[in-house]
């Protein structure tokens, strides 16, 4: 069962079945209810997690007690990404936003496997490199892009990471995020995000379904990025 689970993970897609079998031997499975914390910022980093089902919010609390959302992680994603490179405490907190299912691996056991299998280490480092590049792009967006483009690029990321492809080719973002949460993710005011979403709806880039989820026309979106 674990081999099948792990084979679907983005981080392991370059590994062969033999490599994945080695990792599966040290993996554990866990079902968690909504609003369940897997770890808190500052705690000793003991496990590496992989999402099988559901959604996990990664966030931190600043010195003034305000929440800053780092990301939402869905099916087939790994966290924390730096776990195989460093031994710091957890740099943020992780909580489920719905009933979820995860596989987790003891960090020390994971490190032992990597040390004994250099080919696994190389492939994992390639994946981590892609994550670093993605973070660089996000930083560039924040520094160089006007606020409307920042909101548009966030919607595009969400549509690809959490989008259900509909029959007409559009994508429904399966996360039901508030405008406050979206604003929180990119460091903007809620009013700014709300204003831009209204504009994108008029432009035909997106619509809001009856259930409150965003449906995105990515072809139309790309003409405005």
């Amino acid at each position: 069962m674990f081999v099948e689970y792990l084979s679907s993970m983005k981080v392991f897609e370059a590994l062969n079945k033999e490599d994945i079998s080695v990792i599966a031997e040290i993996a554990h499975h866990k079902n968690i209810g909504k609003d369940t914390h897997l770890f808190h910022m500052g705690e000793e980093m003991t496990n590496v997690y992989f999402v099988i089902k559901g959604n996990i919010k990664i966030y931190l609390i600043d010195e003034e007690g305000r929440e800053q959302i780092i990301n939402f992680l869905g099916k087939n994603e790994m966290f924390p990404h730096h776990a195989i490179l460093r031994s710091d405490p957890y740099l943020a907190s992780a909580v489920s936003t719905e009933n979820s299912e995860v596989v987790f691996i003891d960090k020390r056991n994971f490190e032992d496997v990597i040390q004994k299998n250099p080919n696994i280490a190389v492939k994992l480092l390639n994946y981590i490199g892609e994550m670093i590049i993605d973070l660089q792009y996000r930083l560039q967006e924040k520094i160089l892009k006007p606020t409307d483009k920042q909101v548009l690029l966030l919607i595009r990321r969400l549509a690809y990471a959490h989008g259900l492809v509909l029959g007409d080719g559009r994508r429904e973002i399966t996360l039901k995020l508030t405008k406050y949460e979206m604003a929180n993710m990119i460091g903007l005011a809620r009013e700014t995000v709300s204003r831009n979403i209204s504009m994108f709806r008029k432009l035909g880039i997106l619509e809001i379904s009856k259930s409150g989820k965003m449906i995105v026309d990515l072809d139309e979106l790309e003409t405005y990025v």
Side-chain angles (χ1 to χ4, degrees):
M1 180 178 66
F2 287 144
V3 171
E4 182 179 348
Y5 281 159
L6 295 173
S7 295
S8 66
M9 298 293 153
K10 295 176 184 177
V11 65
F12 296 135
E13 62 185 10
L15 300 184
N16 57 42
K17 184 166 285 189
E18 182 179 348
D19 292 334
I20 293 175
S21 295
V22 173
I23 298 172
E25 290 178 1
I26 58 172
H28 305 274
H29 176 268
K30 186 175 187 179
N31 288 308
I32 54 174
K34 182 181 178 182
D35 298 326
T36 300
H37 273 86
L38 291 167
F39 53 80
H40 290 86
M41 181 175 66
E43 292 179 346
E44 180 185 1
M45 185 161 51
T46 55
N47 295 319
V48 183
Y49 294 88
F50 307 89
V51 184
I52 301 300
K53 179 182 178 183
N55 199 266
I56 306 296
K57 179 174 73 173
I58 307 297
Y59 72 97
L60 54 82
I61 303 296
D62 66 20
E63 294 179 353
E64 297 180 3
R66 296 174 299 193
E67 179 184 277
Q68 174 64 57
I69 299 173
I70 307 301
N71 208 350
F72 287 92
L73 302 175
K75 184 178 179 180
N76 298 341
E77 295 193 273
M78 163 191 168
F79 65 98
H81 295 118
H82 67 290
I84 61 174
L85 300 175
R86 302 182 63 88
S87 299
D88 312 82
Y90 289 116
L91 301 179
S93 300
V95 62
S96 57
T97 61
E98 57 186 88
N99 292 338
S100 301
E101 189 177 347
V102 298
V103 165
F104 66 95
I105 299 174
D106 182 281
K107 183 179 183 300
R108 290 168 298 182
N109 293 337
F110 199 28
E111 289 173 347
D112 288 341
V113 166
I114 292 171
Q115 290 173 3
K116 295 173 183 176
N117 298 271
N119 58 316
I120 295 178
V122 170
K123 292 168 183 175
L124 290 178
L125 288 173
N126 287 336
Y127 174 80
I128 298 300
E130 292 177 5
M131 298 298 101
I132 292 172
I133 291 172
D134 179 63
L135 289 173
Q136 289 176 334
Y137 282 139
R138 293 192 192 192
L139 180 59
Q140 289 174 359
E141 291 169 10
K142 183 62 185 174
I143 295 173
L144 302 175
K145 299 288 186 180
T147 54
D148 60 333
K149 293 293 193 298
Q150 291 182 43
V151 177
L152 207 56
L153 290 167
L154 171 62
I155 292 171
R156 181 172 70 175
R157 284 199 302 273
L158 292 171
Y160 279 113
H162 305 279
L164 174 66
V165 180
L166 303 179
D168 58 5
R170 296 183 301 166
R171 293 191 180 217
E172 181 183 66
I173 297 175
T174 55
L175 286 176
K176 189 175 179 181
L177 299 175
T178 66
K179 294 180 178 66
Y180 170 78
E181 288 173 323
M182 292 180 64
N184 190 303
M185 291 180 73
I186 50 179
L188 297 177
R190 185 191 64 80
E191 293 77 13
T192 301
V193 171
S194 181
R195 183 173 62 252
N196 279 283
I197 286 178
S198 295
M199 178 179 67
F200 299 151
R201 293 176 71 178
K202 291 178 182 178
L203 292 172
I205 295 172
L206 61 84
E207 66 178 72
I208 307 299
S209 70
K210 292 181 180 179
S211 64
K213 295 177 181 177
M214 287 187 292
I215 299 175
V216 185
D217 185 330
L218 286 171
D219 289 336
E220 192 67 25
L221 181 151
E222 291 298 337
T223 65
Y224 293 94
V225 172

